[in-house]
């Protein structure tokens, strides 16, 4: 690593995130030791690249469609995100400087413009719009006429191409920091792309590196959680997340983790409309105003979700201090625990599909694909070499999300090279696993365009492809001939044409131009209401709400529609323009549609209790006791007025005798969990007249009341021998180090004989180091040359159940093996058995702790603080007082025993591989 190279690679940021220190010294201070120990890559030279690409014959798409290659390196490199403008040009955000490669392109990453000038279905023109030292693998680009919005932490940047020559020249054009304060420079869990909504607003999100920003209205918004990584490279995050996690924003609400923002295009009137994600990569807003996204996992529990307005998506604790692992309850599976699906206030997770690395997405409403695909949400999943498709259908107050593979290079599902799979980095050369879709977009020609990062590795902030190869594939009907209409935004007809465009950010151009004309275009816009495509028709509803009294009168008429989605859209449109309307809310609070009533509930979040409580009581009557989306919308509407709403609903739907509550009202009380309900919850928890499920719900309700009365009630429940006793004890131990910490529960736990730290005897558990064991197994290639026998493997796998569960038998210490092998290559499976430390699955990093009396415990740290809870090999779980611990640290090896340590022969491993492939 030469100092000359480092000097070239460091450029002072305009906003001070890169300090003006000596570059070499700065690098030595800030670079992780692992990076300092390795050689820095040479400067990236595009002229020396030998482009890599996926063979077209590997792709499978629905009948009648085909995949063609629209662009390939060197026309673009490492595409992180794309957008398509009104002329059909594709704009690409590149990530050549991704993570550990931050210094291989000293002049900065680029925003590139590609175009098919002759209409033959392939890009023949590629040039740089801007290359900026501040661009370090930006994760978002959005184009609105001559404004190019780039998501580059700590800033949301707007480049305005004043002379419209498609090249940024600082002498002629302008560069604005629209918003700033987003953490995650050179990090995947950071600021993502901007999308135009049908309401004239801009939407964007950030992953759980979080941020604190002040919008152009002067309001400051804060969202930090328990994830606080260090920057990779000589960069600094703008804020200390630990100092701000759990603090309220200027709107009076507390947000944590990843979040979605809705705002005016000029950066005013920002709102956080969803939060507590791990790393939602992008959001899509359909013409009804519904927001859909995907979210990454930790470990395998990736999800695709509908974003209910203001929803908390549950990844970390509500105070921003604890991981989901710290609050995982006994017997909760990973998917339930990770997204806190048994906690009041957490939104339904949606389609939780397991391991992956979700990236870009788009909602298809009209275009070249045909009527069968109207209303399809498309989500990229590079960890599975696939673009998923969903056609969301209203299901009560939520949506049913059924998943299909829309486009894949890996129909056999033999995945490799993803962090959720384990296995070594070298196990990634199968051509089917190289397709890593980073984004999907709709062109004004109505075709789909998918950008391919192309790499043998994805997830875990890793990559292997030093060529930085990338491609863009087009998915369209067979024989498709692209036609991009010439949209004249100076005419009403051209504006209407833009409004009807298949491309979301092009539609915004028509929206803004028509809105500027006011009531003079009402007749033209009302004509769009008659479109047979419901999504296109819905665009007119939003626009009419912006066209004065006459336009809003037309929207009021839509409130009487027989179509529930149209009624929802009309209510949203009027609310977005005029704010909350009590009369209209009262009218729709008794709507026959649960989804319409849900919208009314959400609109009550910031309405005073005197108005909101009666309306929410009416809405509560429509709760069937099962619809979680409906209950969450109701609870969201009751925010900061839970006691008033509880009293109002109890008077109408509950009973003074808590044992006479209906299951539906018990759920309402659980969701609201006001302090005044503790006595009722305790009565239900202790009553043998209720079944175990009802008693457990009451106990769990108390755990979310953060006062001394709640902790005292839990102590009383824990003192009674009942099926609920262990649950109550778990809550006491968990809450004693967080939300009930100020009540000093430890002395009382000891006094009642529930938990006495002095009597705890720590059992030493040391996982043998595989490096200290004799190596008897041959290399992987020799093992795989043997013929394995699945029946013999069924017997051999019994040696694994001390750490793994399979077929419902065994210990859930390591990842469950059910179905795991079906998604792996044989090489990955064999390597995981022989060399388990090569690639440790997310969430299974081991901890070693030393006690003050010299004992060592290796295991998974389930709960930090006082006491600690750690689970070791064999499923042994110990509750250890913090005062007994001398020190603790993360282990650099796996907690799993190697094949050699288990005494396996090469044939045993081959047999296990065959068994796991089949089960």
């Amino acid at each position: 690593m030469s100092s000359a190279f480092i000097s070239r690679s460091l450029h002072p940021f305009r906003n001070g995130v890169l300090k003006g220190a000596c570059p070499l010294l700065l690098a030595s201070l800030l670079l992780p030791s692992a990076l300092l120990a390795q050689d820095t890559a040479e400067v990236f030279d595009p002229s020396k690249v030998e482009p890599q690409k996926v063979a077209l014959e590997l792709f499978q798409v629905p009948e009648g469609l085909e995949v063609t290659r629209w662009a390939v390196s060197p026309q673009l490199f490492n595409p992180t995100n794309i957008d398509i403008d009104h002329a059909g040009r594709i704009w690409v955000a590149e990530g050549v400087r991704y993570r550990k490669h931050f210094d291989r392109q000293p002049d900065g990453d680029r925003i590139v413009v590609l175009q098919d000038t002759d209409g033959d279905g392939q890009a023949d023109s590629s040039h740089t719009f801007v290359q900026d030292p501040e661009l370090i693998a930006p994760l978002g680009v959005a184009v609105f006429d001559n404004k190019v919005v780039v998501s580059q932490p700590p800033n949301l940047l707007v480049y305005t191409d004043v002379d419209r020559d498609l090249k940024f020249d600082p002498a002629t054009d302008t560069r604005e920091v629209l918003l700033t304060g987003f953490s995650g420079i050179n990090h995947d869990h950071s600021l993502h792309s901007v999308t135009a909504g049908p309401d004239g607003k801009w939407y964007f999100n950030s992953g759980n590196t979080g941020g604190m920003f002040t919008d152009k209205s002067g309001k400051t918004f804060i969202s930090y959680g328990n994830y606080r990584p260090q920057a990779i490279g000589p960069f600094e995050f703008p804020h200390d997340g630990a100092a701000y996690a759990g603090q309220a924003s200027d709107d009076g609400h507390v947000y944590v983790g990843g979040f979605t923002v809705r705002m005016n295009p000029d950066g005013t009137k920002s709102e956080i409309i969803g939060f507590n994600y791990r790393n939602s990569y992008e959001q899509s807003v359909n013409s009804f105003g519904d927001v859909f996204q995907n979210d990454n996992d930790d470990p395998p529990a990736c999800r695709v979700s509908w974003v209910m307005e203001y929803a908390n998506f549950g990844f970390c604790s509500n105070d921003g201090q604890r991981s989901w692992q710290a609050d995982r309850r006994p017997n909760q599976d990973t998917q339930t625990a990770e997204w806190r699906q048994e906690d009041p206030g957490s939104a339904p997770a949606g389609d939780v599909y397991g391991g992956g690395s979700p990236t870009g997405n788009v909602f298809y409403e009209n275009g070249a694909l045909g009527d069968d695909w109207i209303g399809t949400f498309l989500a990229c999943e590079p960890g599975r070499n696939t673009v998923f498709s969903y056609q969301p259908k209203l299901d009560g107050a939520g949506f049913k999300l059924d998943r299909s593979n829309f486009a894949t290079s890996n129909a056999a599902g033999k995945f490799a090279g993803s962090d959720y799979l384990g296995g070594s980095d070298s196990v990634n050369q199968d051509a089917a696993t190289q397709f890593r879709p980073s984004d999907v977009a709709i062109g004004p020609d109505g075709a789909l365009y998918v950008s391919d990062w192309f790499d043998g590795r994805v997830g875990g902030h890793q990559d292997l492809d030093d060529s930085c190869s990338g491609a863009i594939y087009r998915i369209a009907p067979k024989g498709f001939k692209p036609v991009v209409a010439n949209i004249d935004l100076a005419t009403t007809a051209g504006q209407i044409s833009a409004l009807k465009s298949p491309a979301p950010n092009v539609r915004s151009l028509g929206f803004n131009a028509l809105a500027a004309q006011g009531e003079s275009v009402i007749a033209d816009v009302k004509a769009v209401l008659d479109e047979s495509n419901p999504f296109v028709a819905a665009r007119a509803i939003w626009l009419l709400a912006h066209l004065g009294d006459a336009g809003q009168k037309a929207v009021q008429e839509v409130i009487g529609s027989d179509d529930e989605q149209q009624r929802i859209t009309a209510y949203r449109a009027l609310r977005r323009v005029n704010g909350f309307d009590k009369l209209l809310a009262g009218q729709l609070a008794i709507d026959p549609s649960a989804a319409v009533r849900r919208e009314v509930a959400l609109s009550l979040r910031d309405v005073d209790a005197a108005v909101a409580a009666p309306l929410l009581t009416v809405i509560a009557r429509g709760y069937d006791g099962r619809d979680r989306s409906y209950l969450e919308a109701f609870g969201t509407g009751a925010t900061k007025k839970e006691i008033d709403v509880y009293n109002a609903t109890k008077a109408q739907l509950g009973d003074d005798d808590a044992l006479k509550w209906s299951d539906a009202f018990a759920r309402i009380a659980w969701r609201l969990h006001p302090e005044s309900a503790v006595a009722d919850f305790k009565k239900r928890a202790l009553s043998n007249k209720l079944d175990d499920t009802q008693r457990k719900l009451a106990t769990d309700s108390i755990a979310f009341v953060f006062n001394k009365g709640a902790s005292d009630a839990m102590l009383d429940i824990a003192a009674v021998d009942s099926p609920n006793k262990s649950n109550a004890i778990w809550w006491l131990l968990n809450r004693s180090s967080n939300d009930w910490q100020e009540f000093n529960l430890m002395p009382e736990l000891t006094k009642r004989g529930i938990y006495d730290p002095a009597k705890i005897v720590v059992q030493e558990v040391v996982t043998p180091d595989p490096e200290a064991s004799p190596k008897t197994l041959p290399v992987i290639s020799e093992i795989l040359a043997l013929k394995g026998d699945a029946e013999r493997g069924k017997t051999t796998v019994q040696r694994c159940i001390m750490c793994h569960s399979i077929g419902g038998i065994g210990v859930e210490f390591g990842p469950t093996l059910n179905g795991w092998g079906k998604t792996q290559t044989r090489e990955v499976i064999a390597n995981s058995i022989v060399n388990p430390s090569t690639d440790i699955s997310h969430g299974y990093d081991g901890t070693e702790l030393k006690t003050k009396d010299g004992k060592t415990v290796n295991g998974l740290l389930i709960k930090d603080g006082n006491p600690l809870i750690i689970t070791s090999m064999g499923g042994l779980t110990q509750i250890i007082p913090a005062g007994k611990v001398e020190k603790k640290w993360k282990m650099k090896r796996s907690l799993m025993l190697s094949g050699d340590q288990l005494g396996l022969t090469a044939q045993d491993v081959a047999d296990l591989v065959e068994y796991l492939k089949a089960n």
Side-chain angles (χ1 to χ4, degrees), residues 581-592:
D581 184 324
K582 179 181 176 181
L583 292 177
L584 186 56
Q587 175 186 339
L588 295 181
I590 56 174
D591 193 276

Side-chain angles (χ1 to χ4, degrees), residues 94-314:
E94 293 185 336
V96 172
R97 301 177 70 187
Y98 177 72
R99 301 297 279 168
K100 64 184 179 182
H101 306 298
F102 62 87
D103 53 3
R104 72 176 167 193
Q105 188 156 263
D107 292 334
D109 271 322
R110 304 186 303 163
I111 303 300
V112 180
V113 187
L114 295 90
Q115 188 171 12
D116 172 12
T117 62
D118 57 12
D120 68 349
Q122 291 184 324
D124 49 53
S125 171
S126 174
H127 74 270
T128 300
F129 169 73
V130 67
Q131 184 169 22
D132 188 335
E134 185 166 333
L135 298 185
I136 310 157
L139 298 179
V141 60
V143 185
F144 304 94
D145 192 18
N146 67 332
K147 292 186 180 295
V148 182
V149 186
V150 179
S151 303
Q152 173 57 66
N155 303 321
L156 186 64
L157 301 169
V158 179
Y159 295 91
T160 301
D161 184 17
V162 175
D163 59 8
R164 298 178 180 273
D165 66 350
L166 305 180
K167 294 180 181 179
F168 180 74
D169 180 353
T172 306
D173 305 322
T174 64
R175 176 188 182 278
E176 175 191 6
V177 177
L178 185 62
L179 299 173
T180 190
F182 304 97
S183 290
I185 302 165
N186 193 21
H187 198 291
D188 306 61
H189 296 219
S190 58
L191 190 64
H192 296 296
S193 69
V194 169
T195 305
D199 50 359
K201 302 277 189 175
W202 282 2
Y203 294 70
F204 67 87
N205 73 33
S206 174
N208 66 340
T209 54
M212 179 169 65
F213 68 95
T214 300
D215 78 350
K216 297 301 185 183
S217 303
K219 282 190 174 182
T220 296
F221 295 86
I222 304 169
S223 192
Y224 281 103
N226 67 295
Y227 183 54
R228 298 155 193 168
Q230 298 297 309
I232 298 296
F235 315 115
E236 293 182 4
F237 293 174
H239 309 111
D240 177 6
Y244 293 100
Q247 288 194 18
S249 294
D250 282 355
D251 65 359
H253 298 284
V254 174
Y255 306 107
V256 295
F259 57 95
T260 303
V261 176
R262 177 174 64 210
M263 68 179 184
N264 289 336
D266 63 1
T268 60
K269 295 187 177 180
S270 296
E271 300 175 89
I272 290 183
I273 61 165
F275 65 100
N276 209 357
Y277 318 140
R278 181 173 185 263
N279 185 34
S280 171
Y281 196 90
E282 194 173 47
Q283 69 291 312
S284 292
V285 191
N286 70 18
S287 290
F288 297 138
D290 289 307
V291 181
F292 295 90
Q293 68 178 27
N294 41 20
D295 193 6
N296 210 333
D297 63 341
D298 178 30
C302 292
R303 57 181 172 176
V304 166
S305 309
W306 166 64
V307 181
M308 184 166 63
E309 192 174 34
Y310 309 134
N312 178 340
F313 276 81

Side-chain angles (χ1 to χ4, degrees), residues 642-659:
E642 287 85 356
I643 293 176
D644 295 290
V645 174
Y646 175 75
N647 291 338
T649 53
K650 183 180 179 182
Q652 296 291 320
L653 305 174
D655 197 284
D656 288 337
D657 182 356
L659 300 184

Side-chain angles (χ1 to χ4, degrees), residues 800-815:
C800 305
I801 63 174
M802 71 176 72
C803 293
H804 300 278
S805 169
I806 185 165
I809 300 172
V811 176
E812 287 195 15
F813 173 57

